[in-house]
Every structure is written in structure tokens, then in C-alpha cells.
Amino acid sequence: MMRFEFATATRIIFGAGALRDVAAIAKDFGHRALILTGRSAGRAATLNRLLAEQGIARLNLAIAGEPKLEDVEQGVRLARSEGCNLVIGFGGGSAIDAAKAVAALTTSGGDLLDYLEVIGRAKSLISPPLPVIAVPTTAGTGAEVTRNAVLTSPEHRVKVSLRSPLMLPRVALVDPELTHDLPAGLTASTGLDALTQLIEPYVSSKANPLTDSICVEGIRRAARSLRRVFDNGADKSAREDMALASLFGGLALANAGLGAVHGFASPIGGMFPAPHGAVCAALLPHVMEANLIALRERAPRGEALRRYNEVARLLVGSDRVGAAEGVTWVEDLCAHLKILPLRRFGISAGDAPAIVAAALKASSMKTNPIELTVEELRETLERAL
Ligand SMILES: [Zn+2]
């Protein structure tokens, strides 16, 4: 029997130029905003100007790289001491996740570790967080519509999630124009993360008809536009497709889960200084192939294999192809997008046992369409090195 739930941000606003509405939206929440940005805070100049014109006081905090526990604690101190009543995440997934975590912890008492999975006490948030407006400037993570924040603990060498249904942003404001000046390398890795976040929920053991329809549309758009946007970053309609694909990936993963690519990406990101998108990009074709081989062996008449055939048809744009052609298509795309293997981050075969052991415990691994053995996981990882 079918049973599912679908939750997302309260409002999703999508469109080229949508950033112009940000101050009018922000005013409904308050007049003191904490703005979390990525490394280059200068990119938020227009956002700051729009808010200033409407009399909204602003405090900016730049996060270098993926957010660490201390970044969140610093944000919480600022938000409390300055009496902020609104948090804006403006940047890639890191800035948006940082905003969600700061907003959550500012209103909940206690220590960040109280609420963290794995290394903390995993308590549930009780107080509603400060309202969050999430404004992505990359097309990859979909963090504007997910209910967790991925944080890095350099001390523990792990990535952990702060997770709560209360952490869904109040507003996801997706303006494709903000991605127009994204460099080609970042366009490639974040775009492949978006594609991964559409394929994995589609073949996930937790997929449902609502996430399916979102994934099918998202895969179609990413397939026709990722190459184009890498070759020509000024291609407006391709940028729009990728911004939608990223949003759709976030909607899908938050409600249907992910798979082995993300199961690997979580421990790798904690153990090595490797950006999430680049890790997923390097793993995607190899995980697809491993899943296909395992499904053919152990579930040849199952639903997941049928879904991989459908993925191939969407990617290639033809009804006459099967799952294997989908893998080849992704391999060709990775080559075209100049995706480098994982060894560029200092990962070697000697690290495989520790990565596989940690990946087996990752929540994303539980929704992979078939349970992969330790040996299969190790071989898959080694092919991506
Ligand atoms: Zn991802």
C-alpha cells in the first residue's frame, strides 16, 4: 500500500530577477537580518543594497568552505548579541546550511553538540528557528528546500547533520541570474551534484509518485542543459534549467532520500578536504554501474532496474536505450566536464576500508536501491580513485 509524506519550504519563489523581491519578503519577518555568505562576501553587495533601501539592518558573516561547528557557534553569538530576527543564507549549499543551523540554534538553548547526530546527543529541536530566507547562488545542492544542515567537525574528522523538520527555510528564493557568473569548474561539479540528487531519489527505495514526477522533469532538464551551461556560462535558458534541476533535486532528496554516492560522499567529505560536488561527480558513474551489476544479479525483475532504464532514456533522450547506455552517457558527460578522479584530493586505495566502513553507516546508504556488499563498495570506490 502506498503511503508517503512530502514537506518543503513554506514558499518557493523562482525566476530570473527574483532577488529584487527579497526586501519586501524580508520585511514580513523583521528588520534585523544576519546574512551568511560564502567566502566572497562581495557577491552579496546587491542583496545588502536592496535590504538597506528598505531600512533592514544587516550583519554579514562569511563562511570559508563547508561550515564548521565553530562557524555556526560564531553566527549564533552574533545573532543573539545583535538581536537578529531573520537569517538569510546567500551562497552555495555551505552558506545556506550555515544559515539554517544558526537560525535553529539561536532560538534553542544549550550547546550545538546537544542536537548533532553521531558526535552529539541528537536531541530534537523544540523551539521554532528564526525565519530563514535561502538564496542559492550555485545550481547544485538544493539546500534551500532541505531540512538538514551538514556541518564539519575537523576535530572528529566527520561531517554530521543537524536535522529537524523545523529547519525547512520559510522562503526559498531561486534566481537563476545569480548563477550566471559561476566559473566553469564549479558549474560542472555542482551541476553533477544536482544530477546525482535527481537520479538517487528516483531509484531510491523510498521514492514516491510525487518525488518521481519531480525527478523525471529535473533529470530531463539537467540532461539537456548541463553540457550547454559548462560550454557557455552565459546561456540563460540552460542556467534556468540547472537552477530548476538543483531545486528539484533538493525537493526530491528531502522526501525520498539518496543512495550510495552520497553514502560515500559523507565520510569522504569529513576525512578529506574535498568539496561535496566534486566528490559526487567523481563517484556517480561508478555507483550507477555497481548498482546495475548488483541489480541484474540479485533483483533482475525488480522495480529498480526498470527505473535505471527510464533514467537512461531521459539522459540520452531516446526510448530505444537501456540502463547501460545511461552509465555511458554519464561517463561521457564527466569527461566533457573535466571531472577529476578522487585521488586529486589525496585519497588512495589504502583509505578504502575506513571509507567503506563509515559509508555503510551513512543514512543515504539505507535508501540505495540494493544493498551493496563491502567488497562491491570497495571496488566501486577504487574505480573512482
Ligand atoms: Zn549532494
Side-chain angles (χ1 to χ4, degrees), residues 50 154 269:
L50 290 166

Side-chain angles (χ1 to χ4, degrees), residues 67-155:
K68 296 180 282 299
L69 304 191
E70 63 195 49
D71 294 323
V72 174
E73 283 156 356
Q74 189 189 356
V76 171
R77 279 196 300 274
L78 268 176
R80 283 190 183 145
S81 64
E82 300 291 324
C84 293
N85 41 26
L86 161 69
V87 182
I88 301 178
F90 183 92
S94 297
I96 292 173
D97 274 2
K100 284 148 63 181
V102 167
L105 204 67
T106 299
T107 54
S108 293
D111 185 66
L112 179 52
L113 278 173
D114 288 343
Y115 304 100
L116 288 176
E117 295 175 349
V118 186
I119 58 170
R121 288 172 282 281
K123 273 174 37 184
S124 301
L125 293 177
I126 299 167
S127 312
L130 291 179
V132 172
I133 301 177
V135 187
T137 62
T138 64
T141 64
E144 65 274 17
V145 288
T146 61
R147 55 187 122 184
N148 67 313
V150 182
L151 308 176
T152 303
S153 169
E155 177 198 344

Side-chain angles (χ1 to χ4, degrees), residues 196-254:
T196 307
Q197 294 180 170
L198 290 157
I199 294 175
E200 293 208 303
Y202 188 65
V203 298
S204 154
S205 55
K206 248 179 70 190
N208 69 60
L210 186 46
T211 55
D212 286 351
S213 60
I214 290 168
C215 291
V216 166
E217 181 63 15
I219 292 170
R220 190 179 285 132
R221 286 179 189 264
R224 77 182 179 201
S225 290
L226 184 45
R227 226 176 247 256
R228 268 169 56 203
V229 85
F230 178 76
D231 293 341
N232 174 18
D235 185 329
K236 287 187 178 143
S237 69
R239 286 288 190 197
E240 185 175 82
D241 267 353
M242 289 312 300
L244 262 185
S246 173
L247 170 67
F248 282 17
L251 295 171
L253 81 88

Side-chain angles (χ1 to χ4, degrees), residues 36-376:
L36 279 296
T37 65
R39 202 177 271 113
S40 39
R43 298 193 65 204
T46 305
L47 171 69
N48 272 282
R49 180 178 54 74
L50 290 166
L51 294 170
E53 283 169 6
Q54 295 293 326
I56 296 172
R58 295 142 348 266
L59 230 69
N60 281 255
L61 177 61
I63 307 284
E66 296 178 357
K68 296 180 282 299
L69 304 191
E70 63 195 49
D71 294 323
V72 174
E73 283 156 356
Q74 189 189 356
V76 171
R77 279 196 300 274
L78 268 176
R80 283 190 183 145
S81 64
E82 300 291 324
C84 293
N85 41 26
L86 161 69
V87 182
I88 301 178
F90 183 92
S94 297
I96 292 173
D97 274 2
K100 284 148 63 181
V102 167
L105 204 67
T106 299
T107 54
S108 293
D111 185 66
L112 179 52
L113 278 173
D114 288 343
Y115 304 100
L116 288 176
E117 295 175 349
V118 186
I119 58 170
R121 288 172 282 281
K123 273 174 37 184
S124 301
L125 293 177
I126 299 167
S127 312
L130 291 179
V132 172
I133 301 177
V135 187
T137 62
T138 64
T141 64
E144 65 274 17
V145 288
T146 61
R147 55 187 122 184
N148 67 313
V150 182
L151 308 176
T152 303
S153 169
E155 177 198 344
H156 301 89
R157 287 187 86 210
V158 291
K159 276 187 171 186
V160 288
S161 267
L162 182 64
R163 193 184 300 274
S164 166
L166 297 172
M167 284 172 65
L168 280 163
R170 295 282 282 276
V171 180
L173 195 156
V174 186
D175 181 346
E177 280 182 0
L178 298 174
T179 65
H180 284 188
D181 58 355
L182 208 60
L186 211 52
T187 298
S189 58
T190 54
L192 272 162
D193 185 26
L195 180 62
T196 307
Q197 294 180 170
L198 290 157
I199 294 175
E200 293 208 303
Y202 188 65
V203 298
S204 154
S205 55
K206 248 179 70 190
N208 69 60
L210 186 46
T211 55
D212 286 351
S213 60
I214 290 168
C215 291
V216 166
E217 181 63 15
I219 292 170
R220 190 179 285 132
R221 286 179 189 264
R224 77 182 179 201
S225 290
L226 184 45
R227 226 176 247 256
R228 268 169 56 203
V229 85
F230 178 76
D231 293 341
N232 174 18
D235 185 329
K236 287 187 178 143
S237 69
R239 286 288 190 197
E240 185 175 82
D241 267 353
M242 289 312 300
L244 262 185
S246 173
L247 170 67
F248 282 17
L251 295 171
L253 81 88
N255 292 284
L258 289 158
V261 173
H262 281 82
F264 277 128
S266 168
I268 289 175
M271 293 160 76
F272 299 91
H276 174 76
V279 172
C280 291
L283 284 160
L284 177 61
H286 303 289
V287 168
M288 286 173 78
E289 188 168 31
N291 278 343
L292 272 188
I293 293 169
L295 286 166
R296 285 204 189 102
E297 271 176 23
R298 306 201 283 277
R301 268 176 274 282
E303 165 75 6
L305 211 46
R306 188 196 65 74
R307 285 174 176 260
Y308 266 113
N309 286 325
E310 183 59 28
V311 167
R313 289 194 276 271
L314 291 165
L315 292 175
V316 179
S318 161
D319 286 342
R320 284 197 290 267
V321 297
E325 278 106 323
V327 179
T328 309
W329 189 94
V330 172
E331 282 169 354
D332 292 347
L333 177 68
C334 287
H336 186 92
L337 267 50
K338 301 189 169 61
I339 296 303
L340 297 173
L342 289 175
R343 63 174 176 275
R344 71 185 268 218
F345 302 113
I347 308 170
S348 66
D351 301 309
I355 294 172
V356 168
L360 278 167
K361 287 186 240 155
S363 58
S364 295
M365 205 56 95
K366 296 183 179 67
T367 42
N368 197 58
I370 188 154
E371 198 177 323
L372 296 173
T373 65
V374 170
E375 189 59 17
E376 285 168 338

